[in-house]
Each structure stands twice: as structure tokens, then as C-alpha cells.
Amino acid sequence: MKDEKDQDLRAREETGRQLLNAFSDGALLIDPHGVILAANETVVKSFGASGKDINGGCLYDLLPVEVAGVAREHIEKAVLSGAQERYEERHAGIVRSVGVFPLFNGRGEVERVAVFSRDITKERNVDRMKTEFVSIASHELRTPLGNIMESVSQVVDGLYGEISQEQKMVLGIAHRNCTRMARLIHDLLDISRIESGKIVLTRRLVDVGTKILNVLDVFKAPAKQKGLELRYEADSRLPMAYIDADRMDQVLVNLIGNAIKFTPSGGTITVEAGLEGGFIRCVVSNTGAGIAPEDLDSIFDKFVTLSSAANGGDSGTGLGLPIALQLVRLHGGDLWAESEPGWGNRFIFRIPDYQSEAALLENLAERIARAEVGHTGISLLGIRPKEWSEIRTQRGAGAPLFLQKLRD
């Protein structure tokens, strides 16, 4: 019986080897502990060895130290969760897209793990060049566009003599189009800064409930004009958050503005805020037609627009949601959408609530990042308390955790 099981396992592994060699990208099969069972020629060549040399070896020992830890983290996570993992690996100027896929036995246990790696260095270099081009072009366009808008406004205001109503109407159209282009340029600059890592958050303690109410106040007039009801529902225990207030304004303005744009007259927009684990969860929902299932996966892609002309709005620049998503992720959170055609949409984001130790570390990381961007220095002051027992006596269990770490 045991021989039959061993033969069956060997047969499956041989099938796996044949499948791996069918891929031109790197592909290998490992056990849950990282031991290599099979690898295709692409992987073997990358290690500069023969297939026999790496079979039976530990993947983490063969990988460069800089990437071995990341690989182990994602593979172990896939084994524990049973879910696929995807990540990018960067080493020696090479960027690879890596996919980790757990394979199960008849008992539902992860028995093997398939790992696929593809060199995407060229694609990332092209993306970088596109980002740099967009940033330079946007900077060059912003100043002359501002001059055009100012000149049009001066003519409409009669600074150069009286003009007819028909002329005012035409100039008004020109000014609105310039305003829309200015908004596009602003969004392009934002997305290029985010993608190039040049946006550094300026965090401070913020009352999220008050922040949401302030943004809702901005939209009361346009909502009333369109005949919409604005609702706000918040958890009474809503804590403070350590966030960039201006950037979080940008996220909320985008989500609530989109809800107003896509909600038909007589509809309702609801903003909810509450606690979920160690996160603050915010939901912006609206009644209306909803988003088609085939469009839901692409709405966070750049330049994807869903026309709101039927509800009296324009289609926008297609950059608001991608920017909002990246800003939320910069805060250590995530943003996603749910929709059911005929019932409206729900845009949900989560950000970490305030934790003093995490805030200290994030503040330090952001100040270092800001110094790197500005090519300036940074001064650090280390504190090591000598009379730790006295601090514990005075503060009890409330002694700051980071002071304990400093002591250790």
C-alpha cells in the first residue's frame, strides 16, 4: 500500500515537472517548508546550477539574502491561509513578479506550493519613464493654463471693455474646459508623485468623525440642489487617527463627490464610520443604478471612467479613485468597492486607529523619507531611562511600550 502511494506521489511530481518545463517564465515546485521538488530550466539557469544541484535544496538558502525573507513570508502565508499570494521581488536592478499558489491533497491540506516568477524589469522601466514624462509635461502645462484661465476671467469681467452675452457664454465654456484641464493636470501630478514615491504624508492626530462632518458640510449645497439626502452614522467610540488630514480630505471629497455625481435626484448618500479590529472603517454608500459586475474590477485603474451624464454629471478624469486608493494605502489601509446593479454602490476604506508606538515609528519613517526627498539631514535623539523601576512604579502598567523597548 505504501509503495502504491509512493508511486502515485512520484507520478504526480513527474507530471508537475513536465508542466513546469512548459513555462518560459521561472517555475518551481516546493514543499510547505521551502524544499525544492522540481524546477524548470529558467529557474535552474538563474541559480547557475543543474537541476540535480537544486532539487532537495532549500529555496530560502539559494535565494539572495535581500529577497529570501520576503519569499519566505509570502510562501508561509500562502501555506497557512491556503490562498494565493502575489508580490514583486527587486534585486540587483531586476524586478520580478512572483505568484505563489498552494496545492492541496485529498484531505484539503497544503501538500505542495507552485511558485512562478516573471521578469518585469522592462515593464517597470517603461512605467517609470511614463511617470516621469507625465510629471514633466504636467508641470510645463500648469503655468500657461493658469495664465489662459486668468486672461479669460479678465475678459469676462469686462476689464478690456464690454462684451455681449453670447461672447460671455462662449468664454464661459472655454473657462470651464480650462478648469477641467487644470483638474486633470493636478491629478496627473498627484498620481506621478505617488508612483515615484515623492509624496510624504504629514501626519497628526485627527478626529475622524469631525473630519467627515467637515467634508459633508462642503457637499450640503450641491446635494440639496440635486435633491439628495446626506446621512452620517458614526460609532460613539470612534477613536482618533494618526493621518495626513489634507490627504484624507482628498479621499473623502473624491468618494462623496462621486456618490453625489452618480446618485439620481431623490436618492440618498450615507457615510458610516466605526471600529473594526485595530482599524477605523469608513463606508460611503449611495442609492442608484450601481456598477456593472464587469466594470467593478477596473474602476481603480488609471483613466477608467464611468459616465454619469445620465445623472447630470461628467465622466471625470479617471484618476480620482486610483489616487484615493494609493493615499489610503500610504496610510497603511485599503480601499475597495461593492455594488449591486439597481441598488447602488458602497466604497469602503479602512485605516489604522491611533496607537502611540505605531505613530512614533511612522513619524520617524516619514521624517526620514522627507529628508531623503529634500536631500537634507535628520537628527535623532535616543532615550534610555535609567530608573526604570521608578517609572514603572509611577506609571504602572501604563508605562509606554516603546520605553520598554528602549530599555531592552
Side-chain angles (χ1 to χ4, degrees):
M1 190 73 176
K2 184 176 183 299
D3 290 340
E4 289 180 4
K5 286 184 178 180
D6 290 341
Q7 287 177 1
D8 180 58
L9 181 59
R10 283 195 293 272
R12 281 188 289 162
E13 288 179 354
E14 179 58 31
T15 302
R17 289 187 188 94
Q18 293 174 3
L19 287 172
L20 293 179
N21 282 320
F23 289 94
S24 59
D25 296 327
L28 69 158
L29 191 67
I30 61 175
D31 75 3
H33 304 291
V35 175
I36 298 173
L37 305 174
N40 70 356
E41 292 181 4
T42 304
V43 172
V44 171
K45 288 177 181 177
S46 71
F47 286 128
S50 69
K52 292 181 180 179
D53 291 335
I54 66 171
N55 284 345
C58 180
L59 174 64
Y60 312 128
D61 293 336
L62 294 171
L63 288 172
V65 176
E66 296 84 349
V67 298
V70 177
R72 182 192 291 272
E73 178 185 343
H74 286 280
I75 290 169
E76 290 181 348
K77 186 176 179 181
V79 170
L80 289 172
S81 67
Q84 301 174 8
E85 284 285 309
R86 294 182 183 275
Y87 67 98
E88 286 190 6
E89 172 188 290
R90 297 170 184 268
H91 177 67
I94 305 296
V95 184
R96 290 186 174 89
S97 174
V98 182
V100 182
F101 302 87
L103 305 175
F104 302 88
N105 59 23
R107 298 185 299 276
E109 302 166 337
V110 176
E111 186 178 64
R112 300 286 185 266
V113 180
V115 182
F116 299 91
S117 173
R118 184 166 65 90
D119 188 336
I120 57 169
T121 307
K122 288 183 179 178
E123 291 94 325
R124 287 293 172 264
N125 286 338
V126 170
D127 287 343
R128 178 180 53 78
M129 287 188 288
K130 286 193 296 185
T131 298
E132 290 174 356
F133 171 77
V134 166
S135 179
I136 293 169
S138 299
H139 274 293
E140 293 298 320
L141 287 170
R142 186 164 55 175
T143 299
L145 183 62
N147 292 337
I148 292 170
M149 292 175 67
E150 181 62 26
S151 298
V152 170
S153 295
Q154 290 176 358
V155 173
V156 171
D157 292 340
L159 294 181
Y160 302 101
E162 290 296 321
I163 59 174
S164 67
Q165 288 300 316
E166 186 177 0
Q167 289 171 326
K168 281 187 178 182
M169 182 186 71
V170 172
L171 288 170
I173 294 171
H175 194 275
R176 285 193 296 275
N177 284 330
C178 284
T179 301
R180 185 175 182 278
M181 186 171 286
R183 190 168 69 247
L184 173 60
I185 290 171
H186 181 272
D187 287 347
L188 284 170
L189 284 170
D190 257 359
I191 201 75
S192 66
R193 289 191 192 106
I194 291 171
E195 290 179 342
S196 60
K198 291 181 179 177
I199 281 192
V200 180
L201 301 180
T202 304
R203 297 179 188 248
R204 59 184 175 84
L205 273 178
V206 174
D207 185 323
V208 176
T210 301
K211 170 63 61 182
I212 294 172
L213 286 172
N214 289 342
V215 174
L216 283 173
D217 283 342
V218 175
F219 287 102
K220 281 182 178 178
K224 184 177 180 181
Q225 185 178 8
K226 197 174 176 181
L228 304 176
E229 181 184 0
L230 284 179
R231 294 179 181 172
Y232 174 53
E233 301 171 4
D235 191 323
S236 59
R237 301 175 295 111
L238 201 63
M240 304 284 277
Y242 190 63
I243 58 176
D244 185 317
D246 292 337
R247 292 300 180 181
M248 196 50 57
D249 269 349
Q250 196 172 345
V251 172
L252 290 166
V253 165
N254 178 269
L255 297 180
I256 299 172
N258 279 349
I260 287 178
K261 186 192 298 183
F262 286 94
T263 305
S265 181
T268 302
I269 296 164
T270 305
V271 181
E272 305 165 70
L275 273 174
E276 186 178 77
F279 290 84
I280 297 171
R281 173 185 168 102
C282 183
V283 182
V284 178
S285 58
N286 69 291
T287 55
I291 301 170
E294 61 269 21
D295 293 328
L296 201 55
D297 289 338
S298 62
I299 58 173
F300 291 102
D301 294 342
K302 289 183 292 186
F303 305 110
V304 171
T305 61
L306 301 175
S307 177
S308 62
N311 297 324
D314 59 44
S315 59
T317 64
L319 290 172
L321 284 176
I323 290 171
L325 172 64
Q326 294 303 322
L327 289 177
V328 171
R329 286 181 174 172
L330 282 174
H331 281 87
D334 204 2
L335 166 65
W336 67 96
E338 298 172 355
S339 183
E340 187 175 346
W343 292 93
N345 310 313
R346 283 163 51 88
F347 283 84
I348 305 132
F349 71 86
R350 302 193 319 162
I351 54 173
D353 65 1
Y354 174 72
Q355 301 291 336
S356 59
E357 183 183 7
L360 172 69
L361 296 175
E362 286 169 359
N363 183 269
L364 179 59
E366 285 164 11
R367 289 182 181 276
I368 292 172
R370 193 175 294 116
E372 288 177 344
V373 170
H375 302 289
T376 59
I378 182 170
S379 299
L380 299 176
L381 174 64
I383 302 173
R384 180 178 295 275
K386 293 182 178 179
E387 302 299 332
W388 180 249
S389 57
E390 185 179 336
I391 293 175
R392 291 287 296 174
T393 302
Q394 293 176 357
R395 297 291 301 276
L401 182 58
F402 75 89
L403 285 181
Q404 295 181 42
K405 293 196 172 186
L406 282 172
R407 174 180 177 270
D408 297 337

